[in-house]
Amino acid sequence: MSSSIANTHVIVGMSGGVDSSLSAVMLKEAGYPVRGIFMQNWEDDDEHCTIRQDYRDARAVADRIGIELSTVNFAEEYWQRVFAHFLEEYTEGRTPNPDILCNKEIKFRAFLDYAKRQGADCIATGHYAQIQQTNNGFDMLRGVDTGKDQTYFLYTLGQEALSQTLFPIGDMQKTDVRALAERHGLHVHNKKDSTGICFIGERKFNAFLAEYLPASPGAIVTDGGQTLGEHHGLMFYTIGQRQGLGIGGRKDAGEAPWYVLEKDLNTNTLIVGQGHNHPMLFKSMLTASRLHWTRDKAPSQRFTCSAKIRYRQTDQPCTVTLHDDETCSVHFAESVRAMTPGQSVVFYQGEICLGGGVIDRTTRADAP
């Protein structure tokens, strides 16, 4: 064991899942002085949030491997920095991604600041990503498991966070993570992955959103101008959505399913069309703002790279042009389906995540 490892104090964000649990085990076995923190980011006032069971799981793992575990409440920070923005974006008819903002504001800001106040040299999480130090700084690389890579959600991390973070399982496959956790006797080795946001849990999303924002019903109109019915409020729909439109089985239309094509905020109209590959779903250009770069600055004013506009999308070649420090335009080599304002576009050079921004507007290839 190197003396540098023995003197590097690490606080692990332990969620009660297998990924963060194994991360704590691996760091302890490597010789790091390790403590665990369980973050409470939402006040658990109903049965839909799993925080109580998650804490019990994290506590059981910490006890088994012999590390200290404490709890810190970031609910106020979460409400002010993440949830309030989440509601504001839906009010504007956009579809936000709270996981990205949670990473930026809570896990790699509030948690990192807290850990440093507790005397930690760095933090660790169970994210599927990698950090590589070079002569010029730190790069964030995709996780080895391409199906689990989480750099899309981490693009807001800059040099300060990357220099003080460890991703112990970033070079592992998920199946190997579970197998190794089982060999270490961790009862969470087969625990189901968390797939939602704690404050929503297993509830119906529309019902949850309606608790905080007033719905404003309006017309559902085809791309040809025919009114088909009434939507419940534009905030409940996203570009490319198929389910929940309530307009299927029409005798005056073919059998192809209906999809959300656009949302017109000025007229409070939901525009729909038939077919998964409807031309209006494909856009070739977008503008983005609230830019973040993992190297704290863009590669250049204009550069080519690949990008994805949603988590599980395959990278698409594109050209990025910066207009100022906060905005850019992105031109794709081929049209991309279902670009969605409020979601993020994330840029890559090979395995390196360069950064990204929030999609503001999209344009079709045939638009004037």
Side-chain angles (χ1 to χ4, degrees), residues 25 33-34 87 94 115 160 199 216 220-221 353:
V25 171
V34 178
L87 295 180
R94 293 149 65 98
E160 181 180 6
F199 60 73
S216 179
I220 300 177
V221 178
C353 177

Side-chain angles (χ1 to χ4, degrees), residues 225-302:
Q226 179 185 3
T227 300
L228 300 183
E230 185 177 78
H231 64 74
H232 303 296
L234 292 181
M235 64 184 180
F236 297 129
Y237 306 87
T238 190
I239 305 301
Q241 177 178 330
R242 174 182 174 181
Q243 303 295 329
L245 301 183
I247 53 175
R250 297 181 60 85
K251 294 181 179 179
D252 57 347
E255 296 182 357
W258 293 88
Y259 292 86
V260 174
L261 304 179
E262 291 181 358
K263 298 193 289 184
D264 189 331
L265 272 63
N266 293 326
T267 62
N268 192 29
T269 300
L270 189 71
I271 303 170
V272 300
Q274 287 183 283
H276 182 272
N277 294 325
H278 192 288
M280 285 181 64
L281 282 174
F282 289 83
K283 309 292 178 68
S284 61
M285 191 272 282
L286 63 83
T287 57
S289 61
R290 286 172 270 177
L291 305 179
H292 291 273
W293 306 101
T294 57
R295 283 296 186 118
D296 293 336
K297 63 179 181 179
S300 62
Q301 287 297 113
R302 181 181 173 89

